[in-house]
Amino acid sequence: MQKKLILDTDLLDITISRLCQQLIENHGSFSETVVIGMQPRGIYVAEIIHQKLEKLVKTKIPLGYLDATFHRDDFRRREIPVKANETRIEFTVENKKVLLVDDVLFTGRTIRAAMDAMITFGRPKKVELLVLIDRKYTRELPVAADYVGKAVNTLTSQRVLVELEAQGHKQNKIWLINKD
């Protein structure tokens, strides 16, 4: 297995700061915006973005976690049942701008499932997608992120590994892994 560093701690911090500045340009005071992190790994990215945004705009922004397990189109096709994660959205998304956050955009199927799951909490005015890594050339559905930390050309056989301190890693790093 070969690992290639995509973003180190410093570059990842700069990338997240840039994403936050883009969000502030487009959302202003965030009075009509909510942030939803996708389970399982997107919640860590959402928490980092959320914390930095609240510090910059000096206002409370609603944050929730969304699990789309039971909305996936491959849910019943797996041999081993998948365990669901917590969905915690203690606010309505009705007429709100929703910022959906995940770590890696791969085929687009998880995003499609998340949008189905999100409708349970109301009809948003607008939904935007923020991802740290956009894997190019692997999309199976017409899904595109509005905010991208880094676009990476990948093969289906490769994997992107996001290591965050919030997950228990020593440093924030993102790797591209070639399976042998």
Side-chain angles (χ1 to χ4, degrees):
M1 173 173 53
Q2 293 177 319
K3 286 172 73 173
K4 177 185 174 191
L5 188 61
I6 298 173
L7 292 173
D8 64 14
T9 302
D10 294 334
L11 283 175
L12 186 52
D13 189 48
I14 290 167
T15 300
I16 289 170
S17 294
R18 177 182 49 83
L19 288 168
C20 287
Q21 291 302 321
Q22 288 177 310
L23 289 167
I24 291 169
E25 286 174 17
N26 292 333
H27 291 265
S29 68
F30 282 82
S31 61
E32 296 297 316
T33 304
V34 299
V35 177
I36 298 178
M38 293 180 47
Q39 288 279 22
R41 293 172 303 278
I43 64 169
Y44 300 107
V45 178
E47 287 172 350
I48 293 167
I49 295 284
H50 178 259
Q51 183 179 30
K52 194 168 278 238
L53 283 173
E54 281 193 339
K55 191 174 182 182
L56 291 168
V57 298
K58 296 175 177 53
T59 189
K60 290 285 184 194
I61 303 167
L63 171 67
Y65 304 148
L66 180 65
D67 180 69
T69 301
F70 298 119
H71 294 270
R72 292 184 57 91
D73 58 3
D74 62 351
F75 174 67
R76 300 202 185 279
R77 295 179 180 198
R78 297 177 182 211
E79 291 180 26
I80 301 170
V82 179
K83 291 184 179 179
N85 293 291
E86 175 189 24
T87 291
R88 188 178 76 207
I89 299 177
E90 298 168 351
F91 48 84
T92 181
V93 300
E94 190 73 31
N95 280 328
K96 296 286 186 183
K97 294 177 187 173
V98 174
L99 179 63
L100 201 56
V101 180
D102 206 359
D103 59 345
V104 179
L105 176 56
F106 183 34
T107 62
R109 293 187 179 280
T110 302
I111 303 303
R112 188 218 47 86
M115 289 174 51
D116 283 351
M118 186 178 46
I119 296 301
T120 305
F121 300 93
R123 184 176 183 218
K125 180 188 290 185
K126 183 177 185 177
V127 178
E128 293 180 321
L129 177 62
L130 179 146
V131 295
L132 281 182
I133 302 294
D134 181 359
R135 292 186 61 174
K136 295 288 192 180
Y137 313 121
T138 58
R139 210 77 73 241
E140 295 174 6
L141 296 175
V143 173
D146 300 283
Y147 305 94
V148 175
K150 184 168 180 78
V152 180
N153 297 335
T154 62
L155 302 172
T156 307
S157 62
Q158 294 173 316
R159 198 178 119 215
V160 173
L161 175 63
V162 177
E163 295 178 343
L164 299 174
E165 290 173 357
Q167 296 169 304
H169 295 282
K170 291 181 182 178
Q171 291 183 315
N172 294 333
K173 292 184 179 181
I174 301 178
W175 302 88
L176 180 63
I177 298 174
N178 291 315
K179 300 175 188 174
D180 292 332

